[in-house]
Amino acid sequence: MSHRPLALLLATALLLPLACTDSPTESPLEPVAPSADVVKAPGLTVMSQNMYLGANIDLLLTASSPEDFALVFQQLNTSNAGGFARAQKLAMQIVEEAPHLVGLQEVTRYTFTFPPPVGVQTMDFLDILQIYLSMIPSPHTWRAIRHDLAATGSIDIQGLPHITYMDVDAILVRDDVLTPGDPTLVKFDEFETFKLGEYDLEMRRGYMAVTAQVDGQTIRFANTHLEVQRFGETQTAQTKQLIEELDEATVPVVLVGDFNSAANHDAAPEEKSPAYRMLRKAGYSDLWLRERKSVTGYTCCQGPDLTNPISE
């Protein structure tokens, strides 16, 4: 294992519960790498956000009739009618905080093919976010690096549009941050395959990383989205691959993402998974604990259609 500071920033996960294997009798884990203070003030600033795919994906994976798909479309229309407003608020927060680097997960792209005269319509969350970023006055701009991960096959049901769903992760890089070399775009070796009607859907997940130079300091910035808890063996294998490959870095590593693995000690059994503890044991400091000095505060989850009146 190379000896360099490691930092872990737990992300906002809007779709599925976070989890962890901590026993209720254990005290909160202390940061194990004080040197995770990569640079001093004004320092390195990063953000992470799951942009949310806009509907309960389980409904999409189990739909067997036009009525089932109609419910999915209803959720998409409901959540994404406000989705443009959510993208605007995220853009405003990015401009206000002006982070050097942003990790985004579930930066979904939908393509709907309707019968004539409507034709093809596309809903691309990254394009929408970048449009809002360009509209808000700021001394900075952010360029995007995409990681296309998984797309459905064709879905054709009478009375409904043909739909293609693309799962995308992305990193936003502030204009004054240098990223020498090509980005690393990796799909995990282990993944789940679902049956979607007559089609097999490979739910590929992975990670992306860039070498970034900030105020004369060089770091490795990585962004990931691990498989959900109910596929524990797959998530564990993905975490192991992530740790091993990032361990090859010779500079400080900052890892953000939707880990689907919580730090809270009172997590329900069905929400637990080993990933969080694996990352901590690999040497990553949990910046939420270090900065908040507490395990309180939620990073997950909202209602599937995002209509819950009180944020969770």
Side-chain angles (χ1 to χ4, degrees):
M1 176 179 290
S2 57
H3 298 284
R4 74 275 188 246
L6 304 169
L8 170 70
L9 178 65
L10 295 181
T12 302
L14 300 178
L15 177 61
L16 292 154
L18 299 178
C20 129
T21 56
D22 294 347
S23 159
T25 61
E26 290 181 302
S27 60
L29 291 169
E30 292 297 327
V32 295
S35 55
D37 289 310
V38 179
V39 293
K40 300 302 180 182
L44 171 73
T45 56
V46 302
M47 291 177 64
S48 181
Q49 177 70 55
N50 181 316
M51 292 189 68
Y52 182 63
L53 50 83
N56 185 344
I57 192 65
D58 288 340
L59 292 177
L60 185 62
L61 295 176
T62 59
S64 59
S65 69
E67 291 74 21
D68 290 342
F69 274 98
L71 182 57
V72 176
F73 288 126
Q74 180 182 353
Q75 285 196 351
L76 278 171
N77 289 333
T78 300
S79 63
N80 287 296
F84 297 102
R86 289 187 291 114
Q88 182 183 32
K89 290 180 179 179
L90 177 57
M92 292 173 65
Q93 186 175 11
I94 291 172
V95 169
E96 180 180 358
E97 300 293 337
H100 295 95
L101 297 150
V102 182
L104 300 172
Q105 310 86 40
E106 286 188 14
V107 193
T108 312
R109 177 187 175 93
Y110 289 100
T111 302
F112 303 98
T113 303
F114 294 87
V118 178
V120 177
Q121 293 186 353
T122 300
M123 180 187 298
D124 189 310
F125 291 4
L126 186 58
D127 287 349
I128 295 169
L129 177 62
Q130 288 183 292
I131 288 171
Y132 278 118
L133 283 172
S134 69
M135 294 170 61
I136 303 172
S138 171
H140 296 289
T141 60
W142 285 262
R143 66 185 183 276
I145 302 171
R146 291 174 57 104
H147 188 195
D148 292 343
L149 290 164
T152 68
S154 300
I155 306 173
D156 293 297
I157 291 185
Q158 186 175 3
L160 293 171
H162 168 89
I163 178 175
T164 299
Y165 159 79
M166 172 69 76
D167 184 26
V168 179
D169 288 346
I171 289 176
L172 301 182
V173 183
R174 207 171 76 181
D175 53 13
D176 58 345
V177 176
L178 298 178
T179 52
D182 296 327
T184 299
L185 306 176
V186 174
K187 292 183 179 180
F188 291 128
D189 296 335
E190 298 294 327
F191 59 92
E192 294 295 322
T193 301
F194 302 93
K195 200 73 176 176
L196 188 58
E198 60 182 282
Y199 306 99
D200 290 326
L201 166 62
E202 292 184 354
M203 185 53 71
R204 299 301 299 257
R205 299 182 186 270
Y207 75 91
M208 57 192 308
V210 296
T211 298
Q213 295 176 348
V214 179
D215 292 334
Q217 302 286 331
T218 302
I219 65 157
R220 190 72 170 154
F221 180 78
N223 175 43
T224 192
H225 189 181
L226 299 177
E227 187 52 85
V228 300
Q229 294 93 319
R230 62 189 171 118
F231 302 109
E233 291 185 3
T234 298
Q235 188 196 82
T236 298
Q238 292 174 351
T239 307
K240 184 174 183 293
Q241 181 180 348
L242 178 70
I243 290 171
E244 290 177 350
E245 294 187 13
L246 291 181
D247 193 54
E248 297 176 3
T250 57
V251 295
V253 173
V254 178
L255 171 62
V256 305
D258 178 352
F259 301 101
N260 281 309
S261 188
N264 57 304
H265 297 254
D266 56 352
E270 67 273 10
E271 298 175 355
K272 294 183 178 180
S273 76
Y276 177 78
R277 289 298 296 271
M278 290 173 67
L279 289 162
R280 293 300 305 276
K281 289 180 180 179
Y284 286 87
S285 285
D286 184 341
L287 299 189
W288 178 273
L289 295 182
R290 193 192 72 190
E291 297 299 326
R292 304 282 177 164
K293 299 183 173 56
S294 170
V295 293
T296 61
Y298 295 102
T299 62
C300 174
C301 301
Q302 312 292 1
D305 59 4
L306 302 180
T307 58
N308 47 294
I310 300 176
S311 176
E312 298 178 6

